[in-house]
Coordinates of all heavy atoms in Angstrom, one line a residue:
E29 N 0.9 -1.2 0.0 CA 0.0 0.0 0.0 C 0.9 1.2 0.0 O 1.9 1.3 0.8 CB -0.9 0.0 1.2 CG -1.8 1.2 1.4 CD -2.6 1.2 2.6 OE1 -2.3 0.5 3.6 OE2 -3.5 2.0 2.7
M30 N 0.6 2.2 -0.8 CA 1.4 3.4 -0.9 C 0.4 4.6 -0.7 O -0.7 4.6 -1.2 CB 2.0 3.5 -2.3 CG 2.9 4.7 -2.6 SD 4.6 4.2 -2.2 CE 5.4 5.7 -2.3
I31 N 0.9 5.5 0.1 CA 0.1 6.8 0.3 C 1.0 8.0 -0.1 O 2.1 8.0 0.4 CB -0.4 6.9 1.8 CG1 -1.3 5.7 2.1 CG2 -1.1 8.2 2.0 CD1 -1.7 5.7 3.6
L32 N 0.4 8.8 -0.9 CA 1.1 10.1 -1.2 C 0.2 11.2 -0.8 O -1.0 11.2 -0.9 CB 1.3 10.2 -2.8 CG 2.1 9.0 -3.4 CD1 2.0 9.2 -4.9 CD2 3.5 9.0 -2.9
R33 N 0.9 12.3 -0.2 CA 0.1 13.5 0.3 C 0.9 14.7 -0.3 O 2.0 14.9 0.1 CB 0.1 13.5 1.8 CG -0.5 14.8 2.4 CD -2.0 14.8 2.2 NE -2.6 16.0 2.8 CZ -3.8 16.3 2.8 NH1 -4.7 15.6 2.1 NH2 -4.2 17.4 3.4
D34 N 0.2 15.4 -1.2 CA 0.8 16.6 -1.8 C 0.9 17.7 -0.8 O -0.2 18.2 -0.3 CB 0.1 17.0 -3.0 CG 0.9 17.9 -3.9 OD1 1.8 18.6 -3.4 OD2 0.6 18.0 -5.1
A35 N 2.1 18.1 -0.3 CA 2.2 19.1 0.7 C 3.0 20.3 0.1 O 3.6 21.1 0.8 CB 3.0 18.5 1.9
R36 N 3.1 20.4 -1.2 CA 3.8 21.5 -1.9 C 3.1 22.8 -1.7 O 1.9 22.9 -1.8 CB 4.0 21.2 -3.4 CG 4.9 20.0 -3.6 CD 5.1 19.6 -5.0 NE 3.8 19.0 -5.5 CZ 3.7 18.4 -6.7 NH1 4.7 18.5 -7.5 NH2 2.5 17.9 -7.0
E37 N 3.9 23.8 -1.4 CA 3.4 25.1 -1.1 C 2.7 25.7 -2.4 O 3.2 25.6 -3.5 CB 4.5 26.1 -0.7 CG 4.0 27.3 0.0 CD 5.1 28.1 0.6 OE1 6.0 27.5 1.3 OE2 5.2 29.3 0.4
G38 N 1.5 26.3 -2.2 CA 0.8 26.9 -3.3 C -0.1 26.0 -4.1 O -0.8 26.4 -5.0
L39 N -0.1 24.7 -3.7 CA -0.9 23.7 -4.4 C -2.0 23.2 -3.4 O -1.7 23.1 -2.2 CB -0.1 22.5 -4.9 CG 0.9 22.9 -6.1 CD1 1.7 21.7 -6.4 CD2 0.1 23.4 -7.3
P40 N -3.1 22.8 -3.9 CA -4.1 22.2 -2.9 C -3.6 20.9 -2.4 O -3.0 20.1 -3.1 CB -5.4 22.0 -3.8 CG -4.9 22.0 -5.2 CD -3.6 22.8 -5.2
A41 N -3.9 20.7 -1.1 CA -3.5 19.4 -0.5 C -4.3 18.3 -1.0 O -5.6 18.4 -1.0 CB -3.6 19.5 1.0
R42 N -3.7 17.3 -1.5 CA -4.4 16.1 -2.1 C -3.7 14.8 -1.6 O -2.5 14.8 -1.4 CB -4.4 16.1 -3.6 CG -5.1 17.3 -4.2 CD -5.2 17.3 -5.7 NE -3.8 17.2 -6.2 CZ -3.5 17.0 -7.5 NH1 -4.4 16.9 -8.4 NH2 -2.2 16.9 -7.9
T43 N -4.5 13.8 -1.5 CA -4.0 12.5 -1.0 C -4.3 11.4 -2.0 O -5.4 11.4 -2.6 CB -4.6 12.1 0.4 OG1 -4.3 13.1 1.3 CG2 -4.1 10.8 0.9
M44 N -3.4 10.6 -2.3 CA -3.6 9.4 -3.2 C -3.2 8.2 -2.4 O -2.1 8.1 -1.8 CB -2.7 9.6 -4.5 CG -2.9 8.4 -5.4 SD -1.7 8.5 -6.8 CE -2.6 9.8 -7.8
R45 N -4.0 7.2 -2.5 CA -3.7 5.9 -1.8 C -4.0 4.8 -2.9 O -5.0 4.8 -3.5 CB -4.6 5.7 -0.6 CG -4.5 4.4 0.1 CD -5.4 4.3 1.2 NE -5.4 3.0 1.9 CZ -6.3 2.5 2.6 NH1 -7.4 3.2 2.9 NH2 -6.1 1.3 3.1
F46 N -3.0 3.9 -3.0 CA -3.1 2.9 -4.0 C -2.3 1.6 -3.6 O -1.5 1.7 -2.7 CB -2.7 3.3 -5.4 CG -1.3 3.9 -5.5 CD1 -0.3 3.2 -5.9 CD2 -1.1 5.3 -5.2 CE1 1.0 3.7 -6.0 CE2 0.1 5.8 -5.2 CZ 1.2 5.1 -5.6
F47 N -2.6 0.5 -4.3 CA -1.9 -0.7 -4.0 C -1.1 -1.2 -5.2 O -1.5 -1.0 -6.3 CB -3.0 -1.8 -3.6 CG -3.7 -1.5 -2.4 CD1 -4.8 -0.7 -2.4 CD2 -3.3 -1.9 -1.1 CE1 -5.5 -0.4 -1.3 CE2 -3.9 -1.6 0.0 CZ -5.1 -0.8 0.0
V48 N 0.1 -1.7 -4.9 CA 1.0 -2.2 -6.0 C 1.3 -3.6 -5.7 O 1.7 -4.0 -4.6 CB 2.3 -1.3 -5.9 CG1 3.2 -1.8 -7.0 CG2 2.0 0.2 -6.0
D49 N 1.2 -4.4 -6.7 CA 1.6 -5.8 -6.6 C 3.1 -5.9 -6.6 O 3.8 -5.2 -7.3 CB 1.1 -6.7 -7.8 CG -0.4 -6.8 -7.7 OD1 -1.0 -6.7 -6.6 OD2 -1.0 -7.1 -8.8
G50 N 3.7 -6.8 -5.8 CA 5.1 -6.9 -5.7 C 5.7 -7.6 -7.0 O 4.9 -8.2 -7.8
D51 N 7.0 -7.5 -7.2 CA 7.5 -8.1 -8.4 C 7.6 -9.6 -8.4 O 7.9 -10.2 -9.4 CB 8.9 -7.5 -8.8 CG 10.0 -7.8 -7.7 OD1 9.6 -8.5 -6.7 OD2 11.1 -7.4 -8.0
N52 N 7.3 -10.2 -7.2 CA 7.2 -11.6 -7.2 C 5.8 -12.1 -7.6 O 5.5 -13.3 -7.6 CB 7.6 -12.1 -5.8 CG 6.7 -11.5 -4.7 OD1 6.2 -10.4 -4.9 ND2 6.6 -12.2 -3.6
H53 N 4.9 -11.2 -7.9 CA 3.5 -11.5 -8.4 C 3.4 -10.7 -9.7 O 2.9 -9.6 -9.7 CB 2.5 -11.0 -7.4 CG 2.6 -11.7 -6.0 ND1 2.2 -13.0 -5.8 CD2 3.1 -11.2 -4.9 CE1 2.5 -13.2 -4.5 NE2 3.0 -12.2 -3.9
R54 N 3.8 -11.3 -10.8 CA 3.8 -10.6 -12.1 C 2.4 -10.1 -12.4 O 1.5 -10.9 -12.3 CB 4.3 -11.5 -13.2 CG 5.7 -12.1 -12.9 CD 6.7 -11.0 -13.2 NE 8.1 -11.5 -13.0 CZ 9.0 -10.8 -12.5 NH1 8.9 -9.6 -12.2 NH2 10.2 -11.4 -12.3
S55 N 2.3 -8.9 -12.8 CA 1.0 -8.3 -13.2 C 1.2 -7.0 -13.8 O 2.3 -6.4 -13.7 CB 0.1 -8.2 -12.0 OG 0.3 -7.0 -11.3
P56 N 0.2 -6.4 -14.4 CA 0.3 -5.1 -15.0 C 0.4 -4.0 -13.9 O 0.7 -2.9 -14.2 CB -1.1 -4.9 -15.7 CG -1.8 -6.2 -15.7 CD -1.1 -7.1 -14.7
N57 N 0.3 -4.4 -12.6 CA 0.4 -3.5 -11.5 C 1.8 -3.3 -11.0 O 2.0 -2.7 -10.0 CB -0.6 -3.8 -10.3 CG -2.0 -3.6 -10.7 OD1 -2.3 -2.8 -11.5 ND2 -2.9 -4.4 -10.1
N58 N 2.8 -4.0 -11.6 CA 4.2 -3.8 -11.2 C 4.7 -2.5 -11.8 O 4.7 -2.3 -13.0 CB 5.0 -5.0 -11.7 CG 4.7 -6.3 -11.1 OD1 4.7 -7.3 -11.8 ND2 4.3 -6.4 -9.9
I59 N 5.1 -1.6 -10.9 CA 5.4 -0.3 -11.4 C 6.6 0.3 -10.6 O 6.9 -0.2 -9.5 CB 4.2 0.7 -11.3 CG1 3.8 0.8 -9.8 CG2 3.1 0.3 -12.2 CD1 2.7 1.8 -9.6
G60 N 7.2 1.3 -11.1 CA 8.1 2.2 -10.3 C 7.4 3.5 -10.0 O 6.6 4.0 -10.8
I61 N 7.7 4.0 -8.9 CA 7.0 5.3 -8.5 C 8.0 6.3 -8.2 O 9.0 6.1 -7.5 CB 6.2 5.0 -7.2 CG1 5.2 3.9 -7.4 CG2 5.5 6.3 -6.7 CD1 4.6 3.3 -6.1
V62 N 7.9 7.5 -8.9 CA 8.7 8.6 -8.7 C 8.0 9.6 -7.9 O 6.9 10.1 -8.3 CB 9.2 9.2 -10.0 CG1 10.0 10.5 -9.8 CG2 9.9 8.2 -10.8
V63 N 8.5 10.0 -6.7 CA 7.8 10.9 -5.8 C 8.5 12.3 -5.9 O 9.7 12.3 -5.5 CB 7.8 10.4 -4.3 CG1 7.1 11.4 -3.4 CG2 7.2 9.0 -4.2
P64 N 7.9 13.3 -6.3 CA 8.5 14.6 -6.4 C 8.8 15.2 -5.1 O 8.1 14.9 -4.1 CB 7.5 15.4 -7.3 CG 6.2 14.8 -7.1 CD 6.5 13.3 -6.8
P65 N 9.7 16.2 -5.0 CA 10.0 16.9 -3.8 C 8.7 17.6 -3.3 O 7.9 18.1 -4.1 CB 11.0 17.9 -4.2 CG 11.7 17.4 -5.4 CD 10.6 16.6 -6.1
G66 N 8.5 17.5 -2.0 CA 7.3 18.2 -1.4 C 6.1 17.3 -1.3 O 5.1 17.7 -0.8
V67 N 6.2 16.0 -1.7 CA 5.1 15.1 -1.6 C 5.5 14.1 -0.5 O 6.5 13.3 -0.7 CB 4.8 14.4 -3.0 CG1 3.8 13.3 -2.8 CG2 4.4 15.4 -4.0
A68 N 4.7 14.1 0.6 CA 5.0 13.1 1.6 C 4.6 11.8 1.1 O 3.6 11.6 0.4 CB 4.2 13.5 2.9
H69 N 5.3 10.7 1.6 CA 5.0 9.4 1.1 C 5.2 8.4 2.2 O 6.0 8.5 3.1 CB 5.8 9.1 -0.1 CG 7.3 9.3 0.0 ND1 7.8 10.6 0.0 CD2 8.3 8.5 0.3 CE1 9.1 10.5 0.2 NE2 9.4 9.3 0.4
A70 N 4.5 7.3 2.1 CA 4.6 6.2 3.0 C 4.3 4.9 2.3 O 3.5 4.9 1.3 CB 3.6 6.3 4.2
I71 N 4.9 3.8 2.7 CA 4.7 2.5 2.1 C 4.6 1.5 3.2 O 5.3 1.6 4.2 CB 5.8 2.2 1.1 CG1 5.4 1.0 0.2 CG2 7.1 2.0 1.7 CD1 6.3 0.7 -0.9
R72 N 3.7 0.5 3.0 CA 3.6 -0.6 4.0 C 3.2 -1.8 3.3 O 2.7 -1.8 2.2 CB 2.7 -0.3 5.1 CG 1.2 -0.3 4.7 CD 0.3 -0.1 5.9 NE -1.0 -0.3 5.5 CZ -2.0 -0.6 6.3 NH1 -1.8 -0.8 7.6 NH2 -3.2 -0.7 5.9
V73 N 3.5 -2.9 3.9 CA 3.2 -4.3 3.3 C 2.0 -4.8 4.0 O 1.8 -4.7 5.2 CB 4.4 -5.2 3.5 CG1 4.0 -6.6 3.1 CG2 5.6 -4.7 2.8
E74 N 1.1 -5.4 3.2 CA 0.0 -6.1 3.7 C 0.4 -7.6 3.7 O 0.8 -8.1 2.6 CB -1.3 -5.9 2.9 CG -1.9 -4.5 3.2 CD -3.3 -4.5 2.7 OE1 -3.7 -5.3 1.8 OE2 -4.1 -3.7 3.2
G75 N 0.3 -8.3 4.8 CA 0.6 -9.7 4.8 C 2.0 -9.9 5.4 O 2.5 -9.0 6.1
S76 N 2.6 -11.0 5.0 CA 3.9 -11.4 5.7 C 5.1 -11.2 4.8 O 6.2 -11.5 5.2 CB 3.8 -12.8 6.1 OG 3.6 -13.7 5.0
E77 N 4.9 -10.7 3.6 CA 6.1 -10.6 2.7 C 6.8 -9.2 2.9 O 6.2 -8.3 3.4 CB 5.6 -10.6 1.2 CG 5.1 -12.0 0.9 CD 4.6 -12.1 -0.6 OE1 4.8 -11.1 -1.3 OE2 4.1 -13.1 -1.0
D78 N 8.1 -9.2 2.7 CA 8.9 -8.0 2.8 C 8.7 -7.1 1.7 O 8.3 -7.5 0.6 CB 10.4 -8.4 2.9 CG 10.8 -9.1 4.1 OD1 10.1 -9.0 5.1 OD2 11.8 -9.9 4.1
V79 N 9.0 -5.8 1.9 CA 9.0 -4.9 0.8 C 10.4 -4.3 0.7 O 11.1 -4.1 1.7 CB 7.9 -3.7 1.0 CG1 8.3 -2.9 2.3 CG2 7.8 -2.8 -0.2
I80 N 10.8 -4.0 -0.5 CA 12.1 -3.3 -0.7 C 11.8 -2.0 -1.3 O 11.2 -1.9 -2.4 CB 13.0 -4.1 -1.7 CG1 13.3 -5.5 -1.0 CG2 14.3 -3.3 -2.0 CD1 14.1 -6.4 -2.0
M81 N 12.2 -0.9 -0.7 CA 12.0 0.4 -1.2 C 13.4 1.0 -1.5 O 14.3 1.0 -0.7 CB 11.3 1.3 -0.1 CG 11.1 2.7 -0.6 SD 10.2 3.6 0.7 CE 10.1 5.2 -0.1
I82 N 13.6 1.4 -2.7 CA 14.8 2.0 -3.2 C 14.6 3.5 -3.2 O 13.7 4.0 -3.8 CB 15.2 1.5 -4.6 CG1 15.4 0.0 -4.5 CG2 16.5 2.2 -5.1 CD1 15.6 -0.7 -5.9
Y83 N 15.4 4.2 -2.4 CA 15.2 5.6 -2.2 C 16.4 6.3 -2.9 O 17.5 6.1 -2.5 CB 15.2 5.9 -0.7 CG 14.6 7.2 -0.3 CD1 13.3 7.2 0.0 CD2 15.4 8.3 -0.2 CE1 12.7 8.4 0.4 CE2 14.8 9.5 0.2 CZ 13.5 9.6 0.5 OH 12.9 10.7 0.9
G84 N 16.1 7.1 -3.8 CA 17.1 7.9 -4.5 C 16.8 9.4 -4.4 O 15.6 9.8 -4.4
T85 N 17.8 10.2 -4.4 CA 17.5 11.7 -4.4 C 18.4 12.3 -5.5 O 19.4 11.7 -6.0 CB 17.9 12.3 -3.1 OG1 19.3 12.1 -2.9 CG2 17.2 11.7 -1.9
S86 N 17.9 13.5 -6.0 CA 18.7 14.2 -7.0 C 19.8 15.0 -6.4 O 20.6 15.6 -7.1 CB 17.7 15.0 -7.8 OG 17.1 15.9 -7.0
T87 N 19.8 15.1 -5.1 CA 20.9 15.9 -4.4 C 21.4 15.0 -3.3 O 21.0 13.9 -3.1 CB 20.3 17.2 -3.8 OG1 19.3 16.9 -2.9 CG2 19.7 18.1 -4.9
S88 N 22.3 15.6 -2.5 CA 22.9 14.8 -1.4 C 21.8 14.6 -0.4 O 21.0 15.5 0.0 CB 24.0 15.6 -0.7 OG 25.1 15.7 -1.7
F89 N 21.7 13.4 0.2 CA 20.7 13.0 1.1 C 21.1 13.5 2.5 O 22.3 13.2 3.0 CB 20.5 11.5 1.1 CG 19.5 11.0 2.2 CD1 18.2 11.2 2.0 CD2 19.9 10.5 3.4 CE1 17.2 10.8 2.9 CE2 19.0 10.1 4.3 CZ 17.7 10.2 4.1
H90 N 20.3 14.2 3.2 CA 20.5 14.6 4.6 C 19.2 14.2 5.4 O 18.2 14.9 5.2 CB 20.7 16.1 4.7 CG 21.9 16.6 4.0 ND1 23.2 16.4 4.5 CD2 22.1 17.2 2.8 CE1 24.1 16.9 3.6 NE2 23.4 17.4 2.6
A91 N 19.3 13.2 6.2 CA 18.1 12.7 6.9 C 17.5 13.8 7.7 O 16.2 13.9 7.8 CB 18.6 11.6 7.9
E92 N 18.2 14.8 8.3 CA 17.6 15.8 9.1 C 16.7 16.8 8.3 O 15.9 17.5 8.8 CB 18.7 16.6 9.8 CG 19.7 17.4 9.0 CD 20.9 16.6 8.5 OE1 20.9 15.4 8.6 OE2 21.8 17.2 8.0
F93 N 16.9 16.8 6.9 CA 16.0 17.6 6.1 C 14.8 16.9 5.6 O 13.9 17.5 4.9 CB 16.8 18.0 4.8 CG 18.0 18.9 5.1 CD1 19.0 19.0 4.1 CD2 18.2 19.6 6.3 CE1 20.1 19.7 4.3 CE2 19.3 20.3 6.5 CZ 20.3 20.4 5.5
E94 N 14.6 15.7 6.0 CA 13.5 14.9 5.5 C 12.2 15.2 6.0 O 11.2 15.0 5.4 CB 13.8 13.4 5.7 CG 14.8 12.8 4.8 CD 14.3 12.9 3.4 OE1 13.4 12.2 3.0 OE2 14.9 13.6 2.6
G95 N 12.1 15.7 7.3 CA 10.8 16.1 7.8 C 9.9 14.9 8.0 O 8.7 15.0 7.8
R96 N 10.5 13.8 8.4 CA 9.6 12.6 8.4 C 8.7 12.6 9.6 O 9.0 13.2 10.6 CB 10.5 11.3 8.4 CG 11.4 11.0 9.3 CD 12.3 9.8 8.9 NE 11.7 8.5 8.7 CZ 11.2 7.7 9.6 NH1 11.2 8.2 10.9 NH2 10.7 6.6 9.4
I97 N 7.6 11.9 9.5 CA 6.7 11.8 10.6 C 6.8 10.3 11.1 O 6.5 9.4 10.4 CB 5.2 12.0 10.0 CG1 5.1 13.4 9.4 CG2 4.2 11.8 11.1 CD1 3.8 13.7 8.7
A98 N 7.3 10.2 12.3 CA 7.5 8.9 12.8 C 6.2 8.2 13.1 O 5.2 8.9 13.3 CB 8.4 9.0 14.1
S99 N 6.2 6.9 13.0 CA 5.0 6.1 13.3 C 5.2 5.3 14.6 O 6.2 4.9 14.9 CB 4.8 5.1 12.1 OG 3.9 4.2 12.4
E100 N 4.1 5.1 15.3 CA 4.1 4.3 16.5 C 4.5 2.9 16.2 O 5.0 2.2 17.0 CB 2.8 4.4 17.2 CG 1.6 3.7 16.5 CD 0.9 4.6 15.5 OE1 1.3 5.8 15.3 OE2 0.0 4.1 14.8
V101 N 4.3 2.5 14.9 CA 4.8 1.1 14.5 C 6.3 1.0 14.7 O 6.8 -0.1 15.1 CB 4.3 0.8 13.1 CG1 4.9 -0.5 12.6 CG2 2.8 0.8 13.0
E102 N 7.0 2.0 14.4 CA 8.5 2.0 14.5 C 9.0 2.0 15.9 O 10.1 1.5 16.2 CB 9.1 3.2 13.8 CG 8.8 3.2 12.3 CD 9.2 4.5 11.6 OE1 9.3 5.5 12.3 OE2 9.4 4.5 10.4
T103 N 8.2 2.5 16.8 CA 8.7 2.6 18.2 C 8.0 1.6 19.2 O 8.3 1.5 20.3 CB 8.5 4.0 18.8 OG1 7.1 4.4 18.7 CG2 9.3 5.0 18.0
A104 N 7.0 0.9 18.7 CA 6.2 -0.1 19.5 C 7.1 -1.2 20.0 O 8.0 -1.7 19.3 CB 5.1 -0.6 18.7
L105 N 6.9 -1.6 21.2 CA 7.6 -2.8 21.8 C 7.2 -4.1 21.1 O 6.0 -4.2 20.7 CB 7.4 -2.8 23.3 CG 8.0 -1.7 24.1 CD1 7.6 -1.8 25.5 CD2 9.5 -1.6 23.9
L106 N 8.0 -5.0 21.0 CA 7.6 -6.3 20.5 C 6.7 -7.0 21.5 O 6.9 -6.8 22.7 CB 8.9 -7.2 20.3 CG 9.8 -6.8 19.1 CD1 11.0 -7.6 19.1 CD2 9.0 -6.9 17.8
P107 N 5.8 -7.9 21.1 CA 5.0 -8.6 22.0 C 5.9 -9.5 22.9 O 7.0 -9.9 22.5 CB 4.2 -9.5 21.1 CG 4.2 -8.9 19.8 CD 5.5 -8.1 19.7
E108 N 5.5 -9.8 24.1 CA 6.3 -10.6 25.0 C 6.8 -11.9 24.4 O 7.9 -12.3 24.6 CB 5.6 -10.8 26.3 CG 5.4 -9.6 27.2 CD 4.8 -9.9 28.5 OE1 5.0 -11.1 29.1 OE2 4.0 -9.1 29.0
S109 N 5.9 -12.6 23.7 CA 6.3 -13.9 23.1 C 7.5 -13.7 22.1 O 8.4 -14.5 22.1 CB 5.1 -14.5 22.3 OG 4.6 -13.6 21.3
W110 N 7.5 -12.6 21.4 CA 8.7 -12.3 20.5 C 9.9 -12.0 21.3 O 11.0 -12.4 21.0 CB 8.3 -11.2 19.5 CG 7.6 -11.6 18.3 CD1 6.3 -11.9 18.3 CD2 8.1 -11.9 17.0 NE1 5.9 -12.3 17.0 CE2 7.1 -12.3 16.2 CE3 9.4 -11.7 16.5 CZ2 7.2 -12.6 14.9 CZ3 9.5 -12.0 15.2 CH2 8.5 -12.5 14.4
Q111 N 9.8 -11.2 22.3 CA 10.9 -10.8 23.2 C 11.5 -12.1 23.8 O 12.8 -12.2 23.8 CB 10.5 -9.9 24.3 CG 10.1 -8.5 23.7 CD 9.7 -7.5 24.8 OE1 9.9 -7.8 26.0 NE2 9.0 -6.5 24.4
R112 N 10.7 -13.0 24.2 CA 11.2 -14.3 24.8 C 11.9 -15.1 23.7 O 13.0 -15.6 23.9 CB 10.1 -15.1 25.4 CG 9.6 -14.6 26.8 CD 8.7 -15.6 27.5 NE 7.6 -16.1 26.6 CZ 6.4 -15.5 26.6 NH1 6.1 -14.4 27.3 NH2 5.4 -16.0 25.8
F113 N 11.3 -15.2 22.6 CA 11.9 -16.0 21.4 C 13.3 -15.4 21.1 O 14.2 -16.1 20.9 CB 10.9 -15.9 20.3 CG 11.5 -16.6 19.0 CD1 11.6 -17.9 18.9 CD2 12.0 -15.8 18.0 CE1 12.2 -18.5 17.8 CE2 12.5 -16.3 16.8 CZ 12.6 -17.7 16.7
L114 N 13.4 -14.1 20.9 CA 14.6 -13.5 20.5 C 15.7 -13.5 21.6 O 16.9 -13.3 21.2 CB 14.3 -12.0 20.0 CG 13.5 -11.9 18.8 CD1 13.1 -10.5 18.5 CD2 14.2 -12.5 17.6
S115 N 15.3 -13.6 22.8 CA 16.3 -13.6 23.9 C 16.9 -15.0 24.1 O 17.9 -15.1 24.9 CB 15.7 -13.1 25.2 OG 14.7 -14.0 25.6
K116 N 16.5 -16.0 23.4 CA 17.0 -17.4 23.6 C 18.3 -17.5 22.9 O 18.7 -16.9 22.0 CB 16.0 -18.4 23.0 CG 14.8 -18.5 23.8 CD 13.9 -19.6 23.2 CE 12.6 -19.6 23.9 NZ 11.7 -20.6 23.4

């Protein structure tokens, strides 16, 4: 699932949400997505398969300039059963 939110100054705020089949599922929905500067974007996987996101920039990358919005998913603790499994 991909979400794009146009946050460019002077343009109306618009949101686009769509689904892309992975390249391990051949279909007409296999695509590359180019996100222009000023468009917030997020990607997530439905199900148990991994996603690979290739991130390229036209200038030098500086994480501090990204203005990212952290998600509680990134900071959530693992369930106790996972913590026990990983500590073995």
Side-chain angles (χ1 to χ4, degrees):
E29 177 183 18
M30 184 91 189
I31 298 174
L32 302 174
R33 175 72 175 176
D34 197 339
R36 293 176 286 185
E37 196 170 315
L39 295 174
R42 296 183 305 175
T43 301
M44 178 185 284
R45 178 181 176 199
F46 54 96
F47 296 87
V48 180
D49 293 335
D51 65 358
N52 57 334
H53 301 284
R54 302 283 181 217
S55 83
N57 291 331
N58 296 141
I59 59 173
I61 301 164
V62 177
V63 180
V67 176
H69 50 284
I71 190 169
R72 74 175 183 158
V73 174
E74 285 196 336
S76 61
E77 295 182 0
D78 291 335
V79 66
I80 297 172
M81 181 176 177
I82 300 171
Y83 199 91
T85 64
S86 58
T87 60
S88 297
F89 177 79
H90 298 284
E92 64 273 14
F93 297 160
E94 284 297 293
R96 60 189 302 288
I97 301 170
S99 167
E100 67 277 356
V101 170
E102 296 171 337
T103 58
L105 295 175
L106 291 173
E108 286 184 35
S109 59
W110 276 78
Q111 290 178 19
R112 282 193 308 271
F113 173 75
L114 294 172
S115 66
K116 292 181 183 178

